[in-house]
Structure formats: structure tokens, C-alpha cells
Amino acid sequence: STGSGAGSVVVYLGPRDFWGNYRQRAQVTLPLEPQTLQVLPLPTEGRPADFNGAVGQFSMTVNVGPTNVATGDPITVKVQINGRGNLNGLMLPEQTAWRDFKVYPPTVNVETSDPLGLQGAKTFEQVITPESTDIKELPPLTFTCFDPETKLYRTLSHPAVKLIVRPGGSA
């Protein structure tokens, strides 16, 4: 667009040729109303250390299973972040308290419910394996976001999950 309140777009017309290209195109000038945007930086005061850029209004659900396993057996941790914000940009922060587990990269799925892709859910499904029979629980899981409506940082958390970890079979 230009600063004069007008912008142009290229419009492709007519049927496509053998290679899939349009045979005609035209440039059209459209009147546009100027828009004023105010972009504010995220506050540094009160920013939690594990904040990784998530901005929006979100809630979190967590499912963990199975919870009765042998060392080396897989446990699936499914985290779903629901709400309004940049779902594609959401990432789970590193769960530093999971140091007694082998952690595999998550599979990720985004389902949006609006044309702009800002409302919906992002699901992270992660496999972890306990490395010791000393493990009695999966530590709490946290996710921090900035809520633009309240202008505050929010840390969503899921409590620790009790685990039974038996010795693995001998090779």
C-alpha cells in the first residue's frame, strides 16, 4: 500500500493454460482507509523466568499415562493449550524438573476455530521414560503466557502426577 490511502492488488483473470498459469492479469487500485496501530512492548516487570513469548488468553489441560510403569517404559504426556492468541507460535517451555526422565521431542497438532487461526487449541504429545525406580512422581508442569486483556503474566500449572516405577526387565 501507499501512504496516500490507496493500495493496489494484482488480480488474475480468465482460464489457466496447460501449465496452470493464468492467461491474464490486471493491477487494480483500491481506496483504503488508513489504519493506526499502537504496538506496545511486553512489560519486563513481573516477567517469569520461564516465559517464552506466548501472548493470549489460554487455559491448559494435561493427561499423563500410564502411571504404573517399569524403568524405560514410555509415559505419554499430552498437554493441550486452549484459547485465543498466536497458536502456531506457542511452545512448551523446557520442563527442567523432568531431569530424571528421558524426554523425547513432542508431536504437535493445531486446531483452529476461526478464519484467522487465533482461536482454538494446540496439543503437544510427548513421550518420556523414567530412568530410575526412585521416581515417585512426574513433577508439576507449567506454562506461562502474557494476557493482553489483563496486561499481566499468568503461569498455568498442572500438579505433580503420582507414578509407580518398577525395575525394568533384565536383558
Side-chain angles (χ1 to χ4, degrees):
S1 77
T2 64
S4 63
S8 64
V9 294
V10 175
V11 179
Y12 295 95
L13 307 168
R16 295 179 185 218
D17 62 19
F18 177 76
W19 295 276
N21 299 316
Y22 287 99
R23 294 182 185 199
Q24 295 178 334
R25 70 179 192 172
Q27 188 159 347
V28 180
T29 301
L30 302 172
L32 300 174
E33 293 297 321
Q35 300 294 315
T36 302
L37 298 175
Q38 183 179 14
V39 180
L40 301 173
L42 293 175
T44 55
E45 184 177 325
R47 182 183 295 172
D50 67 343
F51 175 71
N52 65 3
V55 176
Q57 295 177 303
F58 300 110
S59 63
M60 178 176 72
T61 57
V62 178
N63 293 304
V64 178
T67 57
N68 186 339
V69 295
T71 55
D73 283 354
I75 299 171
T76 301
V77 179
K78 184 176 179 180
V79 179
Q80 187 173 61
I81 307 294
N82 299 288
R84 182 169 178 76
N86 181 4
L87 295 170
N88 284 320
L90 291 182
M91 296 183 312
L92 282 180
E94 182 182 346
Q95 301 300 316
T96 56
W98 292 7
R99 62 187 161 275
D100 295 326
F101 296 84
K102 181 168 183 157
V103 178
Y104 295 90
T107 58
V108 180
N109 183 42
V110 177
E111 293 180 18
T112 59
S113 58
D114 73 316
L116 296 176
L118 296 175
Q119 181 79 34
K122 186 166 189 175
T123 304
F124 301 86
E125 195 164 307
Q126 192 157 24
V127 173
I128 61 173
T129 58
E131 297 183 322
S132 165
T133 56
D134 295 335
I135 297 172
K136 304 299 179 209
E137 65 182 17
L138 177 67
L141 185 133
T142 60
F143 172 77
T144 299
C145 59
F146 179 78
D147 184 332
E149 296 295 318
T150 63
K151 297 179 177 43
L152 297 171
Y153 290 96
R154 290 181 51 224
T155 298
L156 308 175
S157 62
H158 186 268
V161 175
K162 297 294 179 198
L163 298 176
I164 297 171
V165 181
R166 306 176 314 276
S170 58

